[in-house]
Amino acid sequence: MQRIVRLTSHLTLAILFATSFFIAEKAVAQKEIIIVSTAHNDLVLQEENNKDLNMLYYGRRLSNAKEYGAISSLYRPVRPDPTDQFSSAYTPAGSRNLLEPAITVTHADGDNSLDLRYVSHQTKAIDDNVSLLSVQLKDPVYGLEVTLYYKSYYREDVIEQWSTIRNNEKGNVILHKFASADLTLRAGSYWLRQYHGDWAREMQPEEARLTHGIKTLDSKLGTRTDLYEPPSFMISLDKPATEEEGTVICGGVEWSGNFRVDLELDPQDNLRIIAGMNNYASSYSLESGKEFTTPAFVYVLSDKGKGEASRRLHRWARNYKLVDGNGSRLTLLNNWESTYFDFNEQKLAALLKDTKKLGVDLFLLDDGWFANKYPRNGDHAGLGDWQPNRSKLPNGIASLVKEAQGDGVKFGIWVEPEMVNPKSELYEQHPDWVVKEPAREEHYFRNQLVLDLTNPKVQDFVFGIVDGLFTQNPDLAYIKWDCNAVIFNAHSAYLKDQDHFYVDYVRGLYNVLARLRTKYPKIPMMLCSGGGGRVDYGALSWFTEYWPSDNTDPLERIFIQWEYSYFYPAIASSNHVTDWGKQPLKFRCDVAMMGKMGFDIVISKLDPKDLAYVQGTVKTYNNIKGIIWQGDQYRLSDPRDGSVASMEYLDTTKSSGIIFNYLVNERYGAGSQWPIRLKGLDPAKTYRLKEIDLYPGAVSSIDDNKTYSGEFLMTAGFNPDVDLRRTSVVLSVEAVK
């Protein structure tokens, strides 16, 4: 017999949890079934007779919860599971398990075995949408406890999962592996969409069928850990999912350090996903009575393709993860590509006036404003010495903030507080604050080293850099937080146990960011890391936006931004208009509008027509940015599949939308030869399409006097008339009242 407990944060069932569990059947010998419910899906756990806890099911929810108990009998492998742990909800090592474990330990007495049995569970309805399930597991011999947490977001269909390991033994326990989540999926086949890259080549996709054995996605870089491989991925069940069809799980590890995801296709053709921190060089000594909490692994399941999965994840991110995710953002002009390190107060004063002339909200002063003994005139010196450079800025930052206010714009500033140049006063005064092996030759990444954020004094220093800027300049309005180096020769002069370094570094970083957010909860901050080297929801919980790539060639950016959009909403993507690439100014602006727009061009060098155009573009963008930032995103035409890329944003009422169309192939005859089908519209509504963001003097080929039903636009489609003469076309979609 079974005891079924459905756990959901939906308001109609929340009242049940305040009084009692929903019990389908009662008997003396009960088999506990625990159901984590979201709007469309159920994740089902089952207690076995021997107190093992298995994952029974994850998929579209059944209306009759009692039928979940019949699922396990449907699978009849040639040979039964000899361990009873092929579907474990959190697989331990060293006892019965024969597969990849989620947790590996050495007990205080030196024994390496672990067996985790179900003890109890409880749920807490946080509000009418969010619920937290905790499941307690315990080793019956050693008493080590693991609590599994499942935080479900009902309307968004999103689950965050993590674990807490508690040492109840008399001595220290060594944690050798400590995953956040251990999921078991069942399907006929499994298809992995993963990403790789490097500087200026972020988010390069690869998709392949998973075969037996273990596929591992991981990073060992310490900082800037997404440089070669990000922690986000998709798994399609039975066949590769398309935008609108197929079952797909989309997720990622919420951790800004070394991560690891093991994808094991086991002997019974189950796919096991074990995700969390990377245990590489990170065995962790856990003292008696202490707890170790892992970061969350976030995931969403959709049986309506990749597009719906990404939209659900976007809603979750805006509502629960990003700083001010449902708020606004500042458009800006950055000086980096117009001046690099070569600037002074006079040049910046002119750029401040250009900021006002352009019509954006803020001027961002980039790298090169600091250090005196070793001036920051290039990337070889000055990092760590955060005093305004007296030669460049004799009146300091305060005068620039004041001048910006006089020009009617806000002022922001770049920092890279985790890093240090060997040629700096900080390095000379505090060599023990630097991550380096004491007996080995230093090895540099971008001519710099990393500060040791495991050290509380270094945490105070890094906090003080940013806090000092705000204390001395209360009207400072924006921070660009950069992180350009990875960790070589990992060693901390502060830590006694070097195995703790990679974990405690990130914890130290998060401690600094938490302190800053407590004091400055709403200040916009860009997460930059030499481009997309640190884009994950662990870091983004402290930031308003991220920098996808230093590659701002608009053609390249279409592909990069496209792939990021599966995991992160448009409001979080900082896209700048620069001089990279060969495309016309309009093309560059149109690509930058697919997110949080900014500029990194020399306004004073624009000819009158170009200046009039960018000024008009800013006004156009201000009129449509709400739809882009808060609307639902639909990918209409993949740039990798043809000559045209097309992306649609639609407001929640299905009344207003924006469609970006780009030519991504310059071969003869390339263009929108076929109509593009729109998505998400109300089939019963009538819509008018109009081309916007036209270059001065240009005449649109789109007839905006015509109207179309939503049904027509989603079935027959619409041709945006993209070709070599019209390489980028932006359309507004408005319901006719």
Side-chain angles (χ1 to χ4, degrees), residues 546-576:
Y546 69 94
W547 183 239
S549 177
D550 280 349
N551 186 343
T552 54
D553 181 314
L555 183 60
E556 296 288 342
R557 267 300 190 106
I558 290 171
F559 292 83
I560 293 171
Q561 291 168 196
W562 187 278
E563 300 301 334
Y564 271 120
S565 76
Y566 283 112
F567 305 97
Y568 305 102
I571 191 173
S573 180
S574 292
N575 307 331
H576 289 187

Coordinates of all heavy atoms in Angstrom, one line a residue, residues 546-576:
Y546 N 24.3 41.1 -17.1 CA 25.6 40.5 -17.4 C 26.1 41.0 -18.7 O 25.3 41.5 -19.6 CB 25.5 39.0 -17.3 CG 24.7 38.4 -18.4 CD1 25.3 37.9 -19.5 CD2 23.3 38.2 -18.3 CE1 24.6 37.3 -20.6 CE2 22.6 37.6 -19.3 CZ 23.2 37.2 -20.5 OH 22.5 36.6 -21.5
W547 N 27.4 40.8 -19.0 CA 28.0 41.1 -20.2 C 28.2 39.8 -21.0 O 29.1 39.0 -20.6 CB 29.3 41.8 -20.0 CG 30.1 42.3 -21.1 CD1 31.4 42.0 -21.5 CD2 29.7 43.3 -22.1 NE1 31.8 42.6 -22.6 CE2 30.8 43.4 -23.0 CE3 28.5 44.0 -22.4 CZ2 30.7 44.3 -24.1 CZ3 28.4 44.8 -23.5 CH2 29.5 45.0 -24.3
P548 N 27.5 39.5 -22.1 CA 27.6 38.2 -22.7 C 28.9 37.9 -23.3 O 29.4 36.8 -23.3 CB 26.5 38.3 -23.8 CG 25.6 39.4 -23.4 CD 26.4 40.4 -22.6
S549 N 29.6 38.9 -23.9 CA 30.9 38.7 -24.6 C 31.6 40.0 -24.9 O 30.9 41.0 -25.2 CB 30.6 37.9 -25.9 OG 31.8 37.7 -26.6
D550 N 32.9 40.0 -24.9 CA 33.7 41.1 -25.4 C 33.6 41.2 -26.9 O 33.9 42.2 -27.5 CB 35.1 41.0 -25.0 CG 35.4 41.4 -23.5 OD1 34.5 42.0 -22.9 OD2 36.5 41.1 -23.0
N551 N 33.1 40.2 -27.6 CA 32.9 40.2 -29.0 C 31.6 40.9 -29.3 O 30.5 40.4 -29.0 CB 32.8 38.7 -29.5 CG 32.7 38.7 -31.0 OD1 32.4 39.7 -31.7 ND2 33.0 37.5 -31.6
T552 N 31.7 42.1 -29.7 CA 30.5 43.0 -30.0 C 30.2 43.1 -31.5 O 29.4 44.0 -31.9 CB 30.6 44.4 -29.4 OG1 31.9 45.0 -29.8 CG2 30.6 44.2 -27.9
D553 N 30.9 42.3 -32.3 CA 30.6 42.3 -33.7 C 29.1 41.9 -33.8 O 28.7 40.8 -33.3 CB 31.5 41.2 -34.4 CG 31.2 41.1 -35.9 OD1 30.0 41.0 -36.3 OD2 32.1 41.0 -36.7
P554 N 28.2 42.7 -34.4 CA 26.8 42.4 -34.3 C 26.4 41.1 -34.9 O 25.4 40.4 -34.5 CB 26.2 43.6 -35.0 CG 27.2 44.1 -35.9 CD 28.5 43.9 -35.2
L555 N 27.1 40.7 -36.0 CA 26.7 39.4 -36.6 C 27.0 38.2 -35.6 O 26.2 37.3 -35.4 CB 27.5 39.2 -37.9 CG 27.2 37.9 -38.7 CD1 25.7 37.9 -39.1 CD2 28.1 37.8 -39.9
E556 N 28.2 38.3 -35.0 CA 28.6 37.3 -34.0 C 27.6 37.3 -32.8 O 27.2 36.3 -32.3 CB 30.0 37.5 -33.5 CG 31.1 37.3 -34.6 CD 31.3 35.9 -35.0 OE1 30.8 35.0 -34.2 OE2 31.8 35.6 -36.1
R557 N 27.3 38.6 -32.4 CA 26.4 38.7 -31.2 C 25.0 38.1 -31.4 O 24.4 37.7 -30.5 CB 26.3 40.2 -30.9 CG 27.3 40.7 -29.9 CD 27.2 40.0 -28.5 NE 28.0 40.6 -27.5 CZ 27.5 41.3 -26.5 NH1 26.2 41.5 -26.4 NH2 28.3 41.9 -25.6
I558 N 24.5 38.1 -32.7 CA 23.2 37.5 -32.9 C 23.3 36.0 -32.4 O 22.4 35.5 -31.7 CB 22.9 37.5 -34.4 CG1 22.5 39.0 -34.8 CG2 21.7 36.6 -34.7 CD1 22.4 39.2 -36.3
F559 N 24.3 35.3 -32.8 CA 24.5 33.9 -32.4 C 24.7 33.7 -30.9 O 24.1 32.8 -30.3 CB 25.6 33.3 -33.2 CG 25.4 33.2 -34.7 CD1 25.6 34.2 -35.6 CD2 24.9 32.0 -35.2 CE1 25.3 34.1 -36.9 CE2 24.7 31.8 -36.6 CZ 24.9 32.9 -37.4
I560 N 25.6 34.6 -30.4 CA 25.9 34.5 -28.9 C 24.6 34.8 -28.1 O 24.3 34.0 -27.2 CB 27.0 35.4 -28.6 CG1 28.3 34.9 -29.2 CG2 27.2 35.5 -27.1 CD1 29.5 35.9 -29.1
Q561 N 24.0 35.9 -28.4 CA 22.8 36.3 -27.7 C 21.7 35.3 -27.8 O 20.9 35.1 -26.9 CB 22.3 37.7 -28.1 CG 23.3 38.8 -27.6 CD 23.1 40.1 -28.3 OE1 23.9 41.0 -28.3 NE2 21.9 40.3 -28.9
W562 N 21.6 34.7 -29.0 CA 20.5 33.7 -29.2 C 20.6 32.5 -28.3 O 19.7 32.1 -27.7 CB 20.7 33.2 -30.7 CG 19.6 32.3 -31.2 CD1 19.5 30.9 -30.9 CD2 18.5 32.6 -32.0 NE1 18.4 30.4 -31.5 CE2 17.7 31.4 -32.2 CE3 18.0 33.8 -32.5 CZ2 16.6 31.4 -32.9 CZ3 16.9 33.8 -33.3 CH2 16.1 32.6 -33.5
E563 N 21.9 32.0 -28.1 CA 22.0 30.8 -27.2 C 21.9 31.2 -25.7 O 21.3 30.5 -25.0 CB 23.4 30.2 -27.5 CG 23.6 29.7 -28.9 CD 22.6 28.7 -29.3 OE1 22.0 27.9 -28.4 OE2 22.3 28.5 -30.5
Y564 N 22.4 32.4 -25.3 CA 22.2 32.8 -24.0 C 20.7 32.9 -23.6 O 20.3 32.7 -22.5 CB 22.8 34.2 -23.7 CG 24.3 34.2 -23.3 CD1 25.3 34.8 -24.0 CD2 24.7 33.6 -22.1 CE1 26.6 34.8 -23.6 CE2 26.0 33.6 -21.7 CZ 26.9 34.2 -22.5 OH 28.2 34.2 -22.1
S565 N 19.9 33.3 -24.6 CA 18.5 33.6 -24.4 C 17.7 32.3 -24.0 O 16.6 32.5 -23.5 CB 17.8 34.2 -25.6 OG 17.6 33.2 -26.6
Y566 N 18.2 31.2 -24.2 CA 17.6 30.0 -23.7 C 17.5 29.9 -22.1 O 16.6 29.4 -21.5 CB 18.2 28.7 -24.2 CG 17.9 28.4 -25.6 CD1 18.9 28.5 -26.6 CD2 16.6 28.0 -26.0 CE1 18.5 28.2 -28.0 CE2 16.3 27.7 -27.3 CZ 17.3 27.8 -28.3 OH 16.9 27.6 -29.6
F567 N 18.5 30.6 -21.5 CA 18.7 30.4 -20.1 C 18.5 31.7 -19.3 O 18.1 31.7 -18.1 CB 20.1 29.9 -19.8 CG 20.4 28.6 -20.5 CD1 21.1 28.6 -21.7 CD2 20.0 27.4 -19.9 CE1 21.4 27.4 -22.3 CE2 20.3 26.2 -20.6 CZ 21.0 26.2 -21.8
Y568 N 18.7 32.9 -20.0 CA 18.6 34.2 -19.3 C 17.7 35.1 -20.0 O 17.8 35.2 -21.3 CB 20.0 34.7 -19.2 CG 21.0 33.8 -18.5 CD1 21.9 33.0 -19.3 CD2 21.0 33.5 -17.1 CE1 22.8 32.1 -18.7 CE2 21.8 32.6 -16.5 CZ 22.7 31.9 -17.3 OH 23.5 31.0 -16.7
P569 N 16.9 35.9 -19.3 CA 15.9 36.8 -19.9 C 16.7 38.0 -20.6 O 17.8 38.4 -20.2 CB 15.0 37.3 -18.8 CG 15.9 37.1 -17.6 CD 16.8 35.9 -17.8
A570 N 16.0 38.7 -21.5 CA 16.6 39.8 -22.3 C 17.0 40.9 -21.4 O 17.9 41.6 -21.7 CB 15.6 40.2 -23.4
I571 N 16.2 41.2 -20.3 CA 16.5 42.3 -19.4 C 17.9 42.2 -18.8 O 18.5 43.2 -18.4 CB 15.4 42.5 -18.3 CG1 15.6 43.8 -17.6 CG2 15.5 41.3 -17.4 CD1 14.5 44.1 -16.6
A572 N 18.4 41.0 -18.7 CA 19.7 40.8 -18.1 C 20.9 40.9 -19.0 O 22.0 40.9 -18.6 CB 19.7 39.4 -17.4
S573 N 20.6 40.9 -20.3 CA 21.7 40.9 -21.3 C 22.1 42.3 -21.7 O 21.4 43.0 -22.4 CB 21.2 40.1 -22.6 OG 22.2 40.0 -23.6
S574 N 23.4 42.7 -21.4 CA 23.9 44.0 -21.8 C 24.5 43.9 -23.2 O 25.5 43.2 -23.4 CB 25.0 44.4 -20.8 OG 24.5 44.7 -19.5
N575 N 23.9 44.7 -24.1 CA 24.3 44.6 -25.5 C 24.7 46.0 -26.0 O 23.8 46.9 -25.9 CB 23.1 44.1 -26.4 CG 22.5 42.8 -25.9 OD1 23.3 42.0 -25.3 ND2 21.3 42.6 -26.1
H576 N 25.9 46.2 -26.4 CA 26.4 47.6 -26.7 C 26.6 47.7 -28.2 O 27.1 46.8 -28.9 CB 27.7 47.9 -26.0 CG 27.5 48.1 -24.5 ND1 28.5 48.5 -23.7 CD2 26.4 48.0 -23.7 CE1 28.1 48.6 -22.5 NE2 26.8 48.3 -22.5

